[in-house]
Amino acid sequence: MCGIVGFVGKKQASSILVEGLSKLEYRGYDSAGVAIIDNDHINVVKCKGRLKNLENKLSEHPLKGIVGIGHTRWATHGKPSDLNAHPHNSQDGTISVVHNGIIENYVQLREWLTSKGYKFVSETDTEVIPQLIEYFYKGDIVEAVMRAISKIKGSYAVGVICSKEPGKLVAVRKDSPLIVGLGKDEYYIASDIPAVLNHTRDIYLLNDNEFVVITKDGVKLLSEDKKEIKRDVYHVTWSANAAEKGGFDHFMMKEIHEQPKAIKDTMTSRIMPGKPITLDDIKITKEQIKNINKIYIVACGTAYHAGIVGKYVIEKLVRMPVEVDIASEFRYRNPIIDEKTLMIIISQSGETADTLAALREAKAQGARVIAITNVVGSSVSREADDVLYTWAGPEIAVASTKAYVTQLIAMYIIALFFAQHKGTISEEKMEEIKKDMLTLPIKAEEVLSNKDIIQEFAEKIYKEQDVFFLGRGLDYAVALEGSLKLKEISYIHSEAYAGGELKHGPIALIEDGTVVIVGATQGYLVEKMISNIKEVTTRGANVLAFAFEGSDEVSKAVDSVMYLPKVNDIFAPVLSVIPLQLLAYYISIKKGCDVDKPRNLAKSVTVE
């Protein structure tokens, strides 16, 4: 959530900052602003609403200067408003700050600064930062920033400029992502890589508690004790075009269509006929796997739903006990962890605050941690013992699609790798499963080619206020994700239930015309699922079902059915989620919602 961009160079900063912020719009925001140094004075323009509002203001009041910072804010402390928007200035106007994260002790700091005569103009936690820096400033902005940061508790990525040292930009991070872009005679900071890709592909990835000092002469990385840090340059291999819409109306639809390639890329070199499954550089032995007595899968949101699929698959193929936990709950319930525990962390961004906290809790208690993430160099990937990357490419739409299916693929790969080492399935069965798995990209393309069926159904139901999703086994896991997608981008209230739970309360909500979406892909549960379908259709429900080709008994029980190409039941979630993504998309379009930037949501949740 929130976006940071900073620039030091020879060009005018204003257009570069706005362009960089536009590449971060997908992260979610409700206001935007820039601060630029001109003739030893900081000029700030900021406003509530979309970035276009900021551009209009800047066209009316252009800012000159070659050093500046910019920000898109997602409100936490203080409502969205011009006043609460970043950047925030110190009381004397000489220091300006942008900040992602949360300052946990801001109330105490604000009270202390107020006692020293400082006056605050916003409701934000961020405003204490420039005031603290001003308090500590004695002619050295780097020293002042370091002293101020030492007083702060919480998570932060911070960018600072000072009119008394006009050619300098200082930044620091802790538990919130920040990168440094290395151009030719120009340098950048940003909260995510797409912000700088039009200018450079060479970056530094900052670690927690590292400071960066940027001038026209270059970049210096410093530790907390002011020692200079040497860092390898990370070269971004994907292009800026990968983060563009590519002819689609929305990023979400582009990313839905990129899923076949993402599935294939995530399997490449890991799943091959006749060869052992590999987990890249993960060095976990047969003996270590046998020594594991419990697996936790911990994640948030869509990644949590991928974890539920992982639980089903690992328990089925490996016969090991697995618990799936919501990361924000995990560390507060005093979980039972020891050196025989394996934790699998799932995070698209690799920066999810609650997931990071769970990872650290597990490691502190001796557990081994495997991370599944899409972002090389992210906090999760650096702090985990091992990492398995999902090669989905950049995902820009707030509602996750291709990240989810590649997380599923990663879970299958881990499950099969463990089964291979534990010998819980035969070599013949392993080859059969791998062969089926390798057909998923083609079969996902086939599902996408039949999207007209989903669009027609969406046009019939887009005015509904309540939708229910039902499933059993893996279909229930997919129902949870389908329901979340519909909520996220169409704002229709939806709930997902296990089919067997229907009679324990939810059936009271079914009446004539109620829309129910049903998954019926698990062969051993289809008969049970049909019974649940009949329970809702006899009460007037309008049912859309998803089933494998040849499931004629399902078509006889429902109003509408979409058939999916047949695969092993365990891989059904990869295919059955695609029409649910499309359904949410088409309903959102029909309702006139902002598909890629749904209200109140952010792409990367870097605060608790």
Side-chain angles (χ1 to χ4, degrees), residues 252-253 256 397-401 482-492 580-599 601:
M252 184 177 178
M253 184 57 100
I256 288 172
V398 168
S400 181
T401 53
S483 177
L484 177 62
K485 283 292 151 290
L486 191 63
K487 288 178 183 131
E488 284 180 314
I489 64 170
S490 75
Y491 318 139
I492 291 174
L580 299 184
Q581 295 166 346
L582 290 166
L583 182 67
Y585 174 84
Y586 285 127
I587 288 175
S588 178
I589 293 296
K590 193 70 178 174
K591 291 185 67 176
C593 301
D594 192 341
V595 173
D596 288 335
K597 298 186 282 289
R599 68 190 184 203
L601 297 180

Short mmCIF file of all heavy atoms in Angstrom, two decimals, residues 252-253 256 397-401 482-492 580-599 601:
data_model
loop_
_atom_site.label_atom_id
_atom_site.label_comp_id
_atom_site.label_asym_id
_atom_site.label_seq_id
_atom_site.Cartn_x
_atom_site.Cartn_y
_atom_site.Cartn_z
N MET A 252 -6.30 -6.42 -14.87
CA MET A 252 -6.82 -7.69 -14.37
C MET A 252 -7.10 -8.67 -15.50
O MET A 252 -6.74 -9.85 -15.41
CB MET A 252 -8.09 -7.47 -13.54
CG MET A 252 -8.60 -8.77 -12.92
SD MET A 252 -10.04 -8.51 -11.87
CE MET A 252 -10.40 -10.20 -11.38
N MET A 253 -7.72 -8.20 -16.58
CA MET A 253 -8.01 -9.10 -17.69
C MET A 253 -6.71 -9.55 -18.37
O MET A 253 -6.58 -10.73 -18.75
CB MET A 253 -8.93 -8.42 -18.70
CG MET A 253 -9.35 -9.33 -19.85
SD MET A 253 -10.16 -10.86 -19.28
CE MET A 253 -11.88 -10.44 -19.52
N ILE A 256 -5.30 -12.23 -16.11
CA ILE A 256 -6.07 -13.49 -16.22
C ILE A 256 -5.59 -14.26 -17.46
O ILE A 256 -5.40 -15.48 -17.40
CB ILE A 256 -7.58 -13.20 -16.31
CG1 ILE A 256 -8.11 -12.73 -14.94
CG2 ILE A 256 -8.34 -14.45 -16.76
CD1 ILE A 256 -9.55 -12.23 -14.97
N ALA A 397 -2.89 -5.39 -11.16
CA ALA A 397 -4.25 -5.28 -10.64
C ALA A 397 -4.26 -5.63 -9.15
O ALA A 397 -3.58 -6.56 -8.73
CB ALA A 397 -5.21 -6.18 -11.41
N VAL A 398 -5.04 -4.90 -8.38
CA VAL A 398 -5.10 -5.15 -6.94
C VAL A 398 -5.64 -6.56 -6.66
O VAL A 398 -5.12 -7.27 -5.80
CB VAL A 398 -5.96 -4.08 -6.24
CG1 VAL A 398 -6.28 -4.49 -4.80
CG2 VAL A 398 -5.21 -2.74 -6.23
N ALA A 399 -6.68 -6.97 -7.38
CA ALA A 399 -7.23 -8.31 -7.19
C ALA A 399 -6.31 -9.34 -7.83
O ALA A 399 -6.09 -9.32 -9.04
CB ALA A 399 -8.63 -8.39 -7.80
N SER A 400 -5.77 -10.21 -7.03
CA SER A 400 -4.76 -11.16 -7.50
C SER A 400 -5.38 -12.28 -8.34
O SER A 400 -6.42 -12.83 -7.99
CB SER A 400 -4.04 -11.76 -6.30
OG SER A 400 -3.05 -12.67 -6.73
N THR A 401 -4.73 -12.60 -9.44
CA THR A 401 -5.18 -13.70 -10.31
C THR A 401 -4.02 -14.65 -10.62
O THR A 401 -3.95 -15.74 -10.08
CB THR A 401 -5.78 -13.15 -11.62
OG1 THR A 401 -4.84 -12.25 -12.25
CG2 THR A 401 -7.08 -12.42 -11.36
N GLY A 482 -13.16 -17.51 -5.08
CA GLY A 482 -14.15 -16.90 -5.97
C GLY A 482 -14.99 -15.87 -5.27
O GLY A 482 -15.28 -14.79 -5.81
N SER A 483 -15.37 -16.15 -4.04
CA SER A 483 -16.16 -15.21 -3.25
C SER A 483 -15.36 -13.94 -2.97
O SER A 483 -15.88 -12.82 -3.06
CB SER A 483 -16.59 -15.87 -1.94
OG SER A 483 -17.28 -14.96 -1.12
N LEU A 484 -14.08 -14.11 -2.62
CA LEU A 484 -13.23 -12.95 -2.35
C LEU A 484 -13.09 -12.07 -3.58
O LEU A 484 -13.20 -10.84 -3.50
CB LEU A 484 -11.85 -13.43 -1.89
CG LEU A 484 -10.83 -12.31 -1.63
CD1 LEU A 484 -11.30 -11.38 -0.51
CD2 LEU A 484 -9.46 -12.89 -1.31
N LYS A 485 -12.89 -12.68 -4.75
CA LYS A 485 -12.75 -11.89 -5.98
C LYS A 485 -13.99 -11.05 -6.24
O LYS A 485 -13.91 -9.88 -6.61
CB LYS A 485 -12.49 -12.80 -7.18
CG LYS A 485 -11.11 -13.33 -7.27
CD LYS A 485 -10.10 -12.24 -7.56
CE LYS A 485 -8.75 -12.55 -6.98
NZ LYS A 485 -8.63 -12.49 -5.54
N LEU A 486 -15.16 -11.66 -6.05
CA LEU A 486 -16.41 -10.93 -6.30
C LEU A 486 -16.55 -9.76 -5.34
O LEU A 486 -16.94 -8.65 -5.74
CB LEU A 486 -17.60 -11.88 -6.18
CG LEU A 486 -18.94 -11.34 -6.67
CD1 LEU A 486 -18.89 -11.05 -8.16
CD2 LEU A 486 -20.06 -12.32 -6.36
N LYS A 487 -16.25 -9.99 -4.07
CA LYS A 487 -16.30 -8.90 -3.08
C LYS A 487 -15.36 -7.77 -3.45
O LYS A 487 -15.71 -6.59 -3.40
CB LYS A 487 -15.88 -9.42 -1.70
CG LYS A 487 -16.84 -10.33 -0.98
CD LYS A 487 -16.20 -10.76 0.33
CE LYS A 487 -17.09 -11.74 1.08
NZ LYS A 487 -16.36 -12.91 1.54
N GLU A 488 -14.13 -8.15 -3.77
CA GLU A 488 -13.07 -7.16 -3.97
C GLU A 488 -13.40 -6.15 -5.05
O GLU A 488 -13.17 -4.95 -4.86
CB GLU A 488 -11.75 -7.87 -4.34
CG GLU A 488 -11.05 -8.55 -3.20
CD GLU A 488 -9.77 -9.22 -3.65
OE1 GLU A 488 -9.78 -9.91 -4.70
OE2 GLU A 488 -8.75 -9.06 -2.97
N ILE A 489 -13.87 -6.62 -6.19
CA ILE A 489 -13.94 -5.69 -7.32
C ILE A 489 -15.35 -5.32 -7.76
O ILE A 489 -15.51 -4.37 -8.52
CB ILE A 489 -13.14 -6.22 -8.53
CG1 ILE A 489 -13.73 -7.52 -9.08
CG2 ILE A 489 -11.68 -6.42 -8.17
CD1 ILE A 489 -13.12 -7.94 -10.40
N SER A 490 -16.38 -6.04 -7.28
CA SER A 490 -17.74 -5.67 -7.66
C SER A 490 -18.53 -5.10 -6.49
O SER A 490 -19.61 -4.54 -6.67
CB SER A 490 -18.49 -6.89 -8.22
OG SER A 490 -18.88 -7.77 -7.17
N TYR A 491 -17.99 -5.29 -5.26
CA TYR A 491 -18.63 -4.82 -4.02
C TYR A 491 -19.96 -5.52 -3.75
O TYR A 491 -20.78 -5.02 -2.98
CB TYR A 491 -18.81 -3.30 -4.03
CG TYR A 491 -17.64 -2.54 -4.58
CD1 TYR A 491 -17.82 -1.44 -5.40
CD2 TYR A 491 -16.33 -2.94 -4.28
CE1 TYR A 491 -16.72 -0.74 -5.92
CE2 TYR A 491 -15.24 -2.25 -4.79
CZ TYR A 491 -15.44 -1.16 -5.61
OH TYR A 491 -14.36 -0.47 -6.12
N ILE A 492 -20.18 -6.67 -4.38
CA ILE A 492 -21.36 -7.49 -4.07
C ILE A 492 -21.03 -8.33 -2.85
O ILE A 492 -19.96 -8.94 -2.76
CB ILE A 492 -21.73 -8.40 -5.26
CG1 ILE A 492 -22.26 -7.56 -6.43
CG2 ILE A 492 -22.78 -9.44 -4.85
CD1 ILE A 492 -22.53 -8.37 -7.68
N LEU A 580 -14.20 -18.08 -12.28
CA LEU A 580 -14.64 -17.26 -11.15
C LEU A 580 -13.97 -15.89 -11.19
O LEU A 580 -14.58 -14.87 -10.85
CB LEU A 580 -14.33 -17.96 -9.84
CG LEU A 580 -15.01 -19.31 -9.61
CD1 LEU A 580 -14.70 -19.85 -8.23
CD2 LEU A 580 -16.52 -19.21 -9.81
N GLN A 581 -12.71 -15.85 -11.63
CA GLN A 581 -12.03 -14.57 -11.83
C GLN A 581 -12.74 -13.77 -12.92
O GLN A 581 -12.97 -12.56 -12.77
CB GLN A 581 -10.57 -14.81 -12.23
CG GLN A 581 -9.72 -15.48 -11.16
CD GLN A 581 -8.41 -15.99 -11.72
OE1 GLN A 581 -8.22 -16.08 -12.94
NE2 GLN A 581 -7.48 -16.33 -10.83
N LEU A 582 -13.07 -14.45 -14.00
CA LEU A 582 -13.76 -13.78 -15.11
C LEU A 582 -15.14 -13.29 -14.70
O LEU A 582 -15.57 -12.20 -15.09
CB LEU A 582 -13.89 -14.75 -16.30
CG LEU A 582 -12.59 -15.09 -17.04
CD1 LEU A 582 -12.81 -16.29 -17.96
CD2 LEU A 582 -12.10 -13.89 -17.85
N LEU A 583 -15.83 -14.09 -13.91
CA LEU A 583 -17.17 -13.69 -13.45
C LEU A 583 -17.09 -12.39 -12.65
O LEU A 583 -17.87 -11.45 -12.89
CB LEU A 583 -17.77 -14.80 -12.59
CG LEU A 583 -19.19 -14.56 -12.07
CD1 LEU A 583 -20.19 -14.54 -13.22
CD2 LEU A 583 -19.58 -15.62 -11.05
N ALA A 584 -16.15 -12.33 -11.71
CA ALA A 584 -15.98 -11.11 -10.92
C ALA A 584 -15.64 -9.93 -11.82
O ALA A 584 -16.16 -8.82 -11.66
CB ALA A 584 -14.89 -11.31 -9.88
N TYR A 585 -14.77 -10.16 -12.80
CA TYR A 585 -14.36 -9.10 -13.72
C TYR A 585 -15.54 -8.56 -14.52
O TYR A 585 -15.78 -7.35 -14.57
CB TYR A 585 -13.28 -9.62 -14.67
CG TYR A 585 -12.90 -8.64 -15.75
CD1 TYR A 585 -11.95 -7.65 -15.51
CD2 TYR A 585 -13.49 -8.68 -17.02
CE1 TYR A 585 -11.60 -6.73 -16.49
CE2 TYR A 585 -13.16 -7.76 -18.00
CZ TYR A 585 -12.21 -6.79 -17.73
OH TYR A 585 -11.89 -5.88 -18.71
N TYR A 586 -16.29 -9.45 -15.14
CA TYR A 586 -17.40 -9.01 -16.00
C TYR A 586 -18.50 -8.32 -15.20
O TYR A 586 -19.10 -7.35 -15.67
CB TYR A 586 -17.96 -10.19 -16.79
CG TYR A 586 -17.09 -10.64 -17.92
CD1 TYR A 586 -16.69 -11.98 -18.05
CD2 TYR A 586 -16.64 -9.75 -18.89
CE1 TYR A 586 -15.89 -12.40 -19.09
CE2 TYR A 586 -15.83 -10.17 -19.94
CZ TYR A 586 -15.45 -11.50 -20.03
OH TYR A 586 -14.65 -11.90 -21.07
N ILE A 587 -18.77 -8.81 -14.00
CA ILE A 587 -19.77 -8.16 -13.15
C ILE A 587 -19.30 -6.76 -12.77
O ILE A 587 -20.07 -5.79 -12.80
CB ILE A 587 -20.06 -9.02 -11.90
CG1 ILE A 587 -20.85 -10.27 -12.29
CG2 ILE A 587 -20.84 -8.21 -10.86
CD1 ILE A 587 -21.08 -11.25 -11.15
N SER A 588 -18.02 -6.65 -12.42
CA SER A 588 -17.47 -5.35 -12.06
C SER A 588 -17.57 -4.35 -13.22
O SER A 588 -17.95 -3.19 -13.02
CB SER A 588 -16.00 -5.51 -11.63
OG SER A 588 -15.43 -4.26 -11.32
N ILE A 589 -17.25 -4.81 -14.41
CA ILE A 589 -17.34 -3.95 -15.61
C ILE A 589 -18.78 -3.50 -15.81
O ILE A 589 -19.06 -2.32 -16.06
CB ILE A 589 -16.85 -4.71 -16.86
CG1 ILE A 589 -15.35 -4.97 -16.76
CG2 ILE A 589 -17.18 -3.92 -18.13
CD1 ILE A 589 -14.49 -3.75 -16.75
N LYS A 590 -19.71 -4.45 -15.71
CA LYS A 590 -21.12 -4.14 -15.94
C LYS A 590 -21.63 -3.12 -14.92
O LYS A 590 -22.48 -2.28 -15.23
CB LYS A 590 -21.94 -5.43 -15.85
CG LYS A 590 -23.35 -5.32 -16.38
CD LYS A 590 -23.39 -5.16 -17.89
CE LYS A 590 -24.83 -5.09 -18.41
NZ LYS A 590 -24.89 -4.79 -19.84
N LYS A 591 -21.10 -3.18 -13.72
CA LYS A 591 -21.52 -2.24 -12.67
C LYS A 591 -20.79 -0.90 -12.74
O LYS A 591 -21.10 0.03 -12.00
CB LYS A 591 -21.28 -2.87 -11.29
CG LYS A 591 -22.19 -4.05 -10.97
CD LYS A 591 -21.99 -4.53 -9.55
CE LYS A 591 -22.45 -3.48 -8.54
NZ LYS A 591 -22.34 -3.96 -7.15
N GLY A 592 -19.78 -0.81 -13.59
CA GLY A 592 -19.03 0.43 -13.73
C GLY A 592 -18.01 0.67 -12.63
O GLY A 592 -17.64 1.82 -12.36
N CYS A 593 -17.54 -0.40 -12.02
CA CYS A 593 -16.55 -0.27 -10.94
C CYS A 593 -15.14 -0.11 -11.51
O CYS A 593 -14.89 -0.43 -12.67
CB CYS A 593 -16.59 -1.51 -10.04
SG CYS A 593 -18.20 -1.80 -9.26
N ASP A 594 -14.24 0.37 -10.68
CA ASP A 594 -12.83 0.52 -11.06
C ASP A 594 -12.14 -0.83 -10.84
O ASP A 594 -11.72 -1.15 -9.74
CB ASP A 594 -12.18 1.61 -10.21
CG ASP A 594 -10.82 2.02 -10.74
OD1 ASP A 594 -10.23 1.24 -11.51
OD2 ASP A 594 -10.35 3.11 -10.38
N VAL A 595 -12.03 -1.61 -11.89
CA VAL A 595 -11.60 -3.01 -11.78
C VAL A 595 -10.21 -3.14 -11.16
O VAL A 595 -10.00 -3.94 -10.25
CB VAL A 595 -11.61 -3.68 -13.16
CG1 VAL A 595 -11.00 -5.09 -13.09
CG2 VAL A 595 -13.02 -3.75 -13.70
N ASP A 596 -9.26 -2.37 -11.65
CA ASP A 596 -7.87 -2.53 -11.21
C ASP A 596 -7.58 -1.88 -9.87
O ASP A 596 -6.62 -2.26 -9.20
CB ASP A 596 -6.92 -1.94 -12.26
CG ASP A 596 -6.84 -2.80 -13.51
OD1 ASP A 596 -7.10 -4.02 -13.41
OD2 ASP A 596 -6.54 -2.26 -14.59
N LYS A 597 -8.40 -0.90 -9.49
CA LYS A 597 -8.14 -0.18 -8.24
C LYS A 597 -9.42 -0.11 -7.40
O LYS A 597 -10.00 0.95 -7.22
CB LYS A 597 -7.61 1.22 -8.55
CG LYS A 597 -6.28 1.23 -9.30
CD LYS A 597 -5.72 2.62 -9.45
CE LYS A 597 -6.40 3.40 -10.54
NZ LYS A 597 -6.09 2.94 -11.88
N PRO A 598 -9.86 -1.25 -6.88
CA PRO A 598 -11.09 -1.25 -6.07
C PRO A 598 -10.95 -0.41 -4.81
O PRO A 598 -9.85 -0.27 -4.26
CB PRO A 598 -11.28 -2.74 -5.73
CG PRO A 598 -9.95 -3.36 -5.93
CD PRO A 598 -9.27 -2.59 -6.99
N ARG A 599 -12.06 0.13 -4.37
CA ARG A 599 -12.05 1.06 -3.25
C ARG A 599 -11.51 0.41 -1.97
O ARG A 599 -11.73 -0.77 -1.71
CB ARG A 599 -13.46 1.62 -3.00
CG ARG A 599 -14.44 0.58 -2.49
CD ARG A 599 -15.87 1.09 -2.49
NE ARG A 599 -16.77 0.10 -1.91
CZ ARG A 599 -18.09 0.06 -2.16
NH1 ARG A 599 -18.62 0.96 -2.96
NH2 ARG A 599 -18.84 -0.85 -1.57
N LEU A 601 -8.85 -0.78 -1.03
CA LEU A 601 -7.91 -1.90 -1.06
C LEU A 601 -6.54 -1.46 -1.56
O LEU A 601 -6.42 -0.50 -2.32
CB LEU A 601 -8.43 -3.03 -1.94
CG LEU A 601 -9.73 -3.70 -1.50
CD1 LEU A 601 -10.11 -4.80 -2.48
CD2 LEU A 601 -9.58 -4.28 -0.11
#
